[in-house]
Amino acid sequence: MSSPNFEQLASAQKANAEVMTALMRTALNGVERLTALNMAATRDFLNNSMSSTQQMLAAKDANALGKLQSELAQPGMEKMMDYSRSIYDLMADMQKEVTAVIESQYSTFTKNANSAVEKAKSATPVGGDVFAAAMQSMLGASTKAFDQMNSIAKQLSGIAEANLEAAGKATSAAKPTATSAAAKKGAAK
């Protein structure tokens, strides 16, 4: 094995290690943020549950209990939507970070592969052009596939964001309905 090939191999291994380190850091940061989000949500849920239970135990009759349940349901739904939105934002951020690392690595890989094909093309005897053309065609196809995967991932992200926004609007629209239903129920009794 010649010295330049060893240097190229060592350089490639170093680049791969850097990519893996970046991906691991992204994953660990995501886990840390998710854990903090879950701890805050659990703490909030526990505090709200205790407060709600105390309020319901203090209710004097069934009408007051029904009205109180309706009043307590809406903030819970809003908090659930906020939590879902936070989870979505966290996942979207992680996806962007991972995609950036992968795009960077893929770009470097493509440049190195094209350079290697060009070197092989100039250094090979007759017939090497066919191999180089096949390699360039394969690189072009893989680049096209990578671009399509990125496009699909962005479209799916857009769909998920639209669904989350629609769910938020539906929750906001449900608030007046739940409040008016509770008022009617209390007035009927």
Side-chain angles (χ1 to χ4, degrees):
M1 183 181 275
S2 68
S3 181
N5 286 339
F6 179 74
E7 289 173 8
Q8 287 177 340
L9 183 61
S11 177
Q13 289 298 325
K14 181 180 176 187
N16 287 339
E18 289 172 0
V19 168
M20 290 305 294
T21 300
L23 290 173
M24 290 300 291
R25 281 191 181 124
T26 299
L28 288 174
N29 287 339
V31 168
E32 183 178 15
R33 289 172 55 197
L34 182 61
T35 301
L37 179 65
N38 284 335
M39 289 298 295
T42 301
R43 185 177 299 115
D44 190 46
F45 174 76
L46 180 63
N47 291 337
N48 288 334
S49 294
M50 297 302 277
S51 174
S52 297
T53 301
Q54 289 174 352
Q55 289 177 11
M56 285 192 272
L57 289 173
K60 302 293 182 196
D61 58 15
N63 289 337
L65 183 62
K67 184 178 178 186
L68 186 59
Q69 285 177 330
S70 297
E71 290 172 0
L72 294 174
Q74 184 59 33
M77 289 298 293
E78 289 173 357
K79 287 180 183 184
M80 180 72 142
M81 286 304 300
D82 288 343
Y83 175 77
S84 297
R85 194 172 293 111
S86 295
I87 293 287
Y88 172 78
D89 290 344
L90 178 105
M91 292 302 150
D93 288 347
M94 286 188 61
Q95 181 220 357
K96 288 176 187 172
E97 290 175 27
V98 168
T99 300
V101 170
I102 291 173
E103 284 177 347
S104 171
Q105 178 64 17
Y106 188 76
S107 175
T108 301
F109 164 76
T110 303
K111 287 176 189 173
N112 291 343
N114 282 329
S115 174
V117 167
E118 289 301 318
K119 285 180 185 176
K121 191 175 175 180
S122 64
T124 56
V126 177
D129 290 342
V130 174
F131 174 74
M135 290 301 292
Q136 285 178 328
S137 175
M138 183 180 75
L139 285 172
S142 69
T143 300
K144 186 176 179 181
F146 184 77
D147 290 342
Q148 287 176 341
M149 284 189 336
N150 273 342
S151 175
I152 289 170
K154 288 176 184 175
Q155 288 174 355
L156 290 175
S157 180
I159 290 169
E161 190 171 329
N163 286 341
L164 191 62
E165 186 176 316
K169 287 179 182 176
T171 301
S172 296
K175 180 180 180 178
T177 305
T179 305
S180 65
K184 288 178 186 176
K185 185 177 179 182
K189 293 184 179 183

